[in-house]
Amino acid sequence: GGVGPFQVCLLGTLGLFVAWRFVLGVSEAPTYPGAAEGVSRWVLPAYQARANGIIIGSIGLGSALTPPLVSLVMVRWGWRAALLASAIPALAVALVWLRVREPPRAVPPAAPARAPAEPLLPEPLPGVPGGSRPAHTLRTRSFALLTASYTLQGYVGYIFVSWFYLYLVQERGFDLVRGAWWSSLPWVLSIVSIPLGGWAADRLTTGRLGPVWGRRAVPMVGMAGSGVLISVGAHTGSPVTAAVSLAFATALVLCVEGPFWAMMMRVSGPRSGTAGGIMNMGSNLGGLVSPALTPLLAAWVGWEAALHVAAALAVAAALLWLGVRPPAESH
């Protein structure tokens, strides 16, 4: 009986790995909220969705480039060199940021003779010297619905992050190589879909749809369309049709990132950093639940039904946007 030296070493290594992985997660946690705070300060509201789309879309580019590059280093020089090669870019970016000075806050151009329907920035508090921006509260219906919608979006998105490859290989019969190529398709598409979703949201907001429906259109169409494609991919008998449908479903569910973060900035105002952290935590909670719950549902009721659940949640996330309004349109 008892625990031998090998088991003690294994448990100690596993515990150390988990601890460092936790530290890595804590270190990465400020990335999105910090980027949101920077965009809210330095980018005019009319361009914030596309700015967020470009930032978040770059993650897809990094995700597409990292596996082949790290694999090449690992094959030639070993896994320790591969981990070191992964750390060097992060260190380089951190050193660059230490030398970046904060630019002045973006200020919209002078208002035209006819006031726009929606102010580009929240109105200043009356009687406050310098016209400082108001102290926004995050206890609003719009912010709660926005966070709930982003949580469901995270649930749906993380299914494909965690299970798409295994689903194609184990359930749809692709071999390992073909499954790997097909599972990379969503991330190739997301490099285009995420910035494109931000650009479309900005154009619609300043166009005929206006500030309310212009901000809702891309998230609602993107997530509802993703739900439809998930159901098609789950139900079809063709493995290729399933792979294509689910890949485009992933691209659609990710194209809403820019509009989500831009709307968060409108709802939270100068508290964009805090609000971004809360909203991003919701997405991570969805991402924590879905990789564990989805295979359990698949074992219980089958993969098709498990994916139909994800499709229904994507549509629900889209419908929640009906209650989300920028502050100027809130009642």
Side-chain angles (χ1 to χ4, degrees), residues 246-274:
L246 295 175
F248 276 91
T250 309
L252 282 178
V253 85
L254 292 177
C255 82
V256 305
E257 291 284 352
F260 259 105
W261 287 85
M263 177 60 85
M264 178 277 296
M265 294 170 191
R266 289 292 294 120
V267 170
S268 62
R271 302 192 64 188
S272 295
T274 301

Side-chain angles (χ1 to χ4, degrees), residues 220-244:
M220 294 189 69
V221 172
M223 289 186 292
S226 177
V228 171
L229 288 177
I230 290 171
S231 286
V232 169
H235 184 69
T236 182
S238 167
V240 172
T241 302
V244 172

Side-chain angles (χ1 to χ4, degrees), residues 68-86 88:
L69 293 178
V70 171
S71 298
L72 179 63
V73 173
M74 184 172 61
V75 168
R76 297 194 62 177
W77 294 292
W79 64 268
R80 289 184 175 87
L83 292 177
L84 182 61
S86 301
I88 289 175

Side-chain angles (χ1 to χ4, degrees):
V3 178
F6 175 76
Q7 288 87 349
V8 172
C9 181
L10 179 62
L11 291 174
T13 302
L14 179 61
L16 186 62
F17 176 81
V18 172
W20 278 112
R21 182 64 185 86
F22 175 78
V23 172
L24 176 64
V26 172
S27 302
E28 291 178 337
T31 302
Y32 280 177
E37 179 69 19
V39 171
S40 71
R41 288 173 175 267
W42 306 333
V43 179
L44 292 173
Y47 302 97
Q48 286 178 350
R50 71 190 76 180
N52 281 289
I54 292 170
I55 291 170
I56 299 173
S58 66
I59 296 174
L61 179 61
S63 299
L65 293 176
T66 298
L69 293 178
V70 171
S71 298
L72 179 63
V73 173
M74 184 172 61
V75 168
R76 297 194 62 177
W77 294 292
W79 64 268
R80 289 184 175 87
L83 292 177
L84 182 61
S86 301
I88 289 175
L91 179 61
V93 170
L95 293 176
V96 169
W97 269 105
L98 288 176
R99 301 185 62 84
V100 172
R101 294 185 178 182
E102 181 175 346
R105 184 185 295 274
V107 178
R114 181 180 178 181
E118 178 193 19
L120 289 175
L121 290 175
E123 294 291 341
L125 280 176
V128 177
S132 58
R133 299 170 71 184
H136 281 59
T137 176
L138 301 183
R139 298 178 181 179
T140 63
R141 180 170 176 264
S142 287
F143 182 66
L145 292 175
L146 192 67
T147 302
S149 180
Y150 202 53
T151 300
L152 296 180
Q153 188 260 7
Y155 179 99
V156 176
Y158 272 90
I159 289 176
F160 299 102
V161 171
S162 304
W163 289 104
F164 191 41
Y165 173 72
L166 292 176
Y167 171 77
L168 293 180
V169 172
Q170 296 178 2
E171 188 69 15
R172 289 297 184 171
F174 287 92
D175 60 48
L176 297 178
V177 175
R178 289 182 68 215
W181 279 107
W182 278 107
S183 64
S184 68
L185 179 59
W187 310 115
V188 175
L189 294 174
S190 73
I191 295 172
V192 177
S193 72
I194 297 176
L196 184 61
W199 174 84
D202 283 338
R203 291 297 300 268
L204 292 172
T205 299
T206 56
R208 291 187 176 183
L209 287 182
V212 178
W213 282 103
R215 295 176 190 276
R216 290 173 178 167
V218 171
M220 294 189 69
V221 172
M223 289 186 292
S226 177
V228 171
L229 288 177
I230 290 171
S231 286
V232 169
H235 184 69
T236 182
S238 167
V240 172
T241 302
V244 172
S245 297
L246 295 175
F248 276 91
T250 309
L252 282 178
V253 85
L254 292 177
C255 82
V256 305
E257 291 284 352
F260 259 105
W261 287 85
M263 177 60 85
M264 178 277 296
M265 294 170 191
R266 289 292 294 120
V267 170
S268 62
R271 302 192 64 188
S272 295
T274 301
I278 295 172
M279 193 178 78
N280 197 48
M281 181 186 68
S283 177
N284 287 333
L285 287 176
L288 177 67
V289 171
S290 67
L293 182 58
T294 301
L296 294 178
L297 289 174
W300 182 32
V301 295
W303 268 103
E304 181 176 344
L307 290 178
H308 283 319
V309 170
L313 293 179
V315 174
L319 294 175
L320 288 174
W321 271 78
L322 291 173
V324 178
R325 288 175 172 267
E329 288 76 33
S330 298
H331 297 289

